[in-house]
Structure formats: C-alpha cells, structure tokens
Amino acid sequence: MTTHPQLVLSGMQPTNVLHLGNYLGALKNWVKLQDEMPCLYCVVDMHAITQDTGYRHPKELAAATREVTAAYIASGVDPKKSVLFNQSRVPEHAELAWIFNCVARLGWLGRMTQFKEKTGKHKERASVGLYTYPVLQVADILVYKATHVPVGEDQRQHLELSRDIAQKFNSDYDTPDFFPLPEPVIMGAGTRVMSLRDGTKKMSKSDESDYSRINLTDDADTISQKIRKARTDPNPLPDFEKGLEGRAEAENLVNIYAALLGKPKSEVIAAFAGKQFSEFKNALADLAVTTLTPIAAEMRRLLADPAEIDLILQAGAEKARGIAGPIMADVKRIVGFVA
Ligand code: TYM
C-alpha cells in the first residue's frame, strides 16, 4: 500500500489545435477530478519540440501553448482550483528527466509503440528527444509524486513505464516508496476516439484529413457537416451492444455520443435501437454542437487577452515549482549530488 497523498497530474502537447479525442479522452475527466483531489495540469511545450512538425517557428509554439491553455480553461479547468502551467517554466522536469534517463533501460524504450508509430521507416532521422520522450513524461508525473494520471487509452504504455522507472529508482537507491507508482485514470466511453473517416485509426492532430476529426475550434456548421459525412455502414443501430462488433465506425459514433453525454454506451443503444444512422447522426451533431461551441467561444474570448493567459501560466509555474523543488532536492541528495 502506498503512503502517498492523492495528487493528479496530466498534460497535452501544444501541437495543432485540440480535437474531440483530447476532450473526451482526457480534458473532460480532468475537469471532474478537480473536485476530488488536488490537480496539476501542464502544457508540455518541451515535448512539442521533439518533432519537426511545424513548430520550428518560436512564435507558433508560444501561440499554440496559449491556445492549449485557453482550451483547458474553456473546457472547465479552473486555475483557482488546479495548478495550470507550461512545462518549460519548471526546470525540475528536465533535471529529473536526466536522472531517469540513467535509470530507464534502452530495452524499455525500444518497446514504446508510439515512437515506432511516429517514426515509421525513418527511425534514424528521429530526434534523440523523441526517443526519450516517454522518460520526460515520467519525470512530469514523478517530479510532483503524482499518484493519478488521467489520459486516453493511447498513453497506457507510457504510464506502465512510469511505474517501472519509479520502482527501479526506489530499489536502486534503496529508498522504498520514495516515488509512488502512478495509476492511469482511463475512464468513460471516449478513451479511444477514432477517426471519422476510418474506424481503425485513432482521431489525431496529425491526420491529413480535417474531416477525420472535430477540432475544439470548429464552428457549428463544420461540426454538423463532419458528423453527417462520417463513415458508417448501411445497417441501422443494433438493439444490444454486441451488435456493434466488427462495425468500427458505427461503434465510434455511439461511443462519442455516450462520452459527450457522460452515460454508458448501453443507454445510448437502448435509446436509438433500430434507428437509421442518418437520424442518429442528427442527434449526435446537435449534442456535439451544444457541447463544443461554447468552449470555442470561451477560447476566443480568452485568447483576446494573451497577457492574462501568460499571468495564469506564470502563477501556476510558481506553485508547481513550490511542490517540485523540495522533491528534487531530496532526489539530488539520494543520488549523491552535492549541492
Ligand atoms: P497528447 O498531446 O497526444 O494527447 C493529450 C491527451 O489526449 C488523449 N488523446 C485521446 N484520447 C482519446 N481518443 C483519442 N483519439 C485521443 N488522442 C489523444 C491522450 O491520451 C492524452 O491524454 N504524451 C502525452 C502528453 C504528456 C503527458 C505527460 C500526459 C506529456 N507528459 C504527463 C500525462 C502525464 C501526449 O502526447 O498526449
């Protein structure tokens, strides 16, 4: 049994605008957790420079960091309740990541599927930072001794790594229970939102087709159009859950509806059993528009005052350093660094 007090940490990369997968898989749960335990939410700008995806221009990265911060707040993350900051302002993340680079084994990183997916055949040209990306993610979590990490399904392997690194550090330095073993919090029907064009692919910021995803900044017409054009099959909705097996696109739309509503999939199926997808898509479009358009409007309002966003990030970083500083001082002592 761990003796660590409950603490939440999670983060998102400021690369392109956030989409419905980010919202349903993570953000919606972040908002809920704020009322259950102390939470830290960061914008992981140091992770964003691991790939050459257009953020070589410093102004673009800074703008994306502010935009993601605005998306957090507009979705309901309250800077008065939660600590909200960008990763690069808290140098303890990088310091701990270096120590963890020396704890983690090459073989562990070699098994990370996200690295393989992101690099494909061009492994040799990937940055070293992209390879050790999961180690920095582990440092993000453990530099606060966070115990709970709300994420989408695709982050499960990175969280297993966080437990492996915590365990090896605790045992190598003979400091049992110094770091907690963080728990993934993967909950609701939207933990793996798929592309609207291909039910076998994850909804992603990097998909070339904008019709594959719903962006948090899309207007009502765009949202409705994307849902109406989403791929489905010719069959109506089934009257039991098993009837969605082998129908990836149909199942994805049902999951999205359930996640937006915050209800189990079975309730959605019960409500629409036997109905045609044309009718279901109209209901889904209405629900998505009602949920997402106020977020987009609030983001626009917040982004009109970038200085205010910077103040929130600065205040959050000070609070975050207040937690990370003493933990990092302990780590340095444990490792044998002389202050
Ligand atoms: P990122 O920026 O790719 O995604 C942010 C969050 O959104 C979730 N997500 C999805 N959930 C459901 N369906 C989808 N299609 C979908 N796409 C993305 C992700 O699971 C994630 O929760 N490595 C992380 C960022 C990170 C982090 C951390 C997370 C850095 N340090 C520490 C937690 C704790 C990432 O790239 O997420």
Side-chain angles (χ1 to χ4, degrees):
M1 257 309 274
T2 177
T3 52
H4 295 276
Q6 294 188 320
L7 181 73
V8 169
L9 178 124
S10 199
M12 294 199 187
Q13 291 196 68
T15 37
N16 303 326
V17 286
L18 298 186
H19 55 70
L20 187 63
N22 301 128
Y23 177 71
L24 295 176
L27 261 176
K28 203 165 184 265
N29 294 332
W30 295 9
V31 174
K32 217 185 288 166
L33 284 165
Q34 291 181 116
D35 297 319
E36 295 171 26
M37 39 185 118
C39 298
L40 294 133
Y41 294 124
C42 64
V43 180
V44 293
D45 48 3
M46 282 155 63
H47 278 111
I49 61 166
T50 55
Q51 267 185 303
D52 194 5
T53 41
Y55 285 108
R56 288 299 172 211
H57 200 297
K59 278 197 183 128
E60 279 178 38
L61 177 57
T65 297
R66 291 190 188 101
E67 185 162 324
V68 170
T69 309
Y72 288 3
I73 302 172
S75 303
V77 172
D78 180 352
K80 290 199 200 79
K81 283 189 200 162
S82 298
V83 180
L84 215 165
F85 64 102
N86 56 313
Q87 184 190 32
S88 63
R89 284 190 203 243
V90 183
E92 286 81 1
H93 289 236
E95 280 189 296
L96 186 58
W98 178 256
I99 294 170
F100 284 169
N101 270 331
C102 303
V103 172
R105 303 292 93 179
L106 216 49
W108 299 357
L109 288 190
R111 286 195 283 276
M112 293 292 125
T113 53
Q114 284 224 335
F115 178 78
K116 291 182 197 160
E117 281 163 23
K118 282 181 183 170
T119 53
K121 292 195 195 97
H122 306 290
K123 226 166 59 193
E124 297 297 314
R125 274 189 254 153
S127 73
V128 176
L130 186 65
Y131 194 66
T132 64
Y133 172 119
V135 176
L136 177 59
Q137 177 164 352
V138 174
D140 296 340
I141 300 166
L142 292 177
V143 81
Y144 304 101
K145 297 192 177 179
T147 54
H148 291 75
V149 187
V151 284
E153 185 60 50
D154 62 345
Q155 297 299 315
R156 195 180 281 283
Q157 197 186 30
H158 290 164
L159 292 187
E160 278 161 16
L161 182 73
S162 74
R163 299 169 70 89
D164 290 341
I165 291 181
Q167 221 152 14
K168 189 165 190 305
F169 181 98
N170 290 349
S171 119
D172 284 358
Y173 289 101
D174 201 16
T175 48
D177 209 33
F178 178 77
F179 283 121
L181 309 189
E183 298 279 347
V185 183
I186 300 175
M187 59 182 182
T191 57
R192 191 168 171 81
V193 177
M194 308 308 280
S195 154
L196 299 180
R197 310 300 296 164
D198 177 352
T200 63
K201 275 184 16 197
K202 196 176 71 169
M203 184 178 284
S204 140
K205 295 169 199 166
S206 53
D207 197 312
E208 275 169 27
S209 163
D210 198 49
Y211 272 84
S212 70
R213 67 183 156 259
I214 293 172
N215 303 307
L216 288 191
T217 47
D218 283 345
D219 61 25
D221 284 349
T222 311
I223 296 173
S224 302
Q225 212 179 22
K226 285 179 176 176
I227 290 176
R228 291 207 177 89
K229 290 205 163 157
R231 236 174 96 176
T232 38
D233 54 53
N235 300 322
L237 273 99
D239 35 18
F240 51 95
E241 253 183 84
K242 270 203 169 316
L244 285 173
E245 268 173 23
R247 302 173 63 188
E249 283 88 8
E251 183 166 27
N252 187 37
L253 294 186
V254 172
N255 278 336
I256 292 175
Y257 193 98
L260 281 168
L261 209 57
K263 294 266 167 73
K265 193 155 83 177
S266 53
E267 276 189 36
V268 179
I269 293 181
F272 289 93
K275 298 255 163 62
Q276 291 302 322
F277 261 93
S278 50
E279 189 180 334
F280 178 69
K281 281 179 172 178
N282 285 338
L284 177 58
D286 286 348
L287 180 60
V289 166
T290 337
T291 313
L292 301 180
T293 49
I295 297 178
E298 181 61 4
M299 276 179 71
R300 276 195 300 277
R301 193 189 68 75
L302 291 161
L303 286 166
D305 190 357
E308 179 61 27
I309 295 182
D310 289 354
L311 281 177
I312 291 172
L313 290 174
Q314 193 188 333
E318 276 163 27
K319 282 190 214 156
R321 291 201 76 183
I323 306 172
I327 294 174
M328 209 46 223
D330 285 346
V331 170
K332 287 182 184 168
R333 213 171 6 81
I334 290 169
V335 170
F337 291 163
V338 180

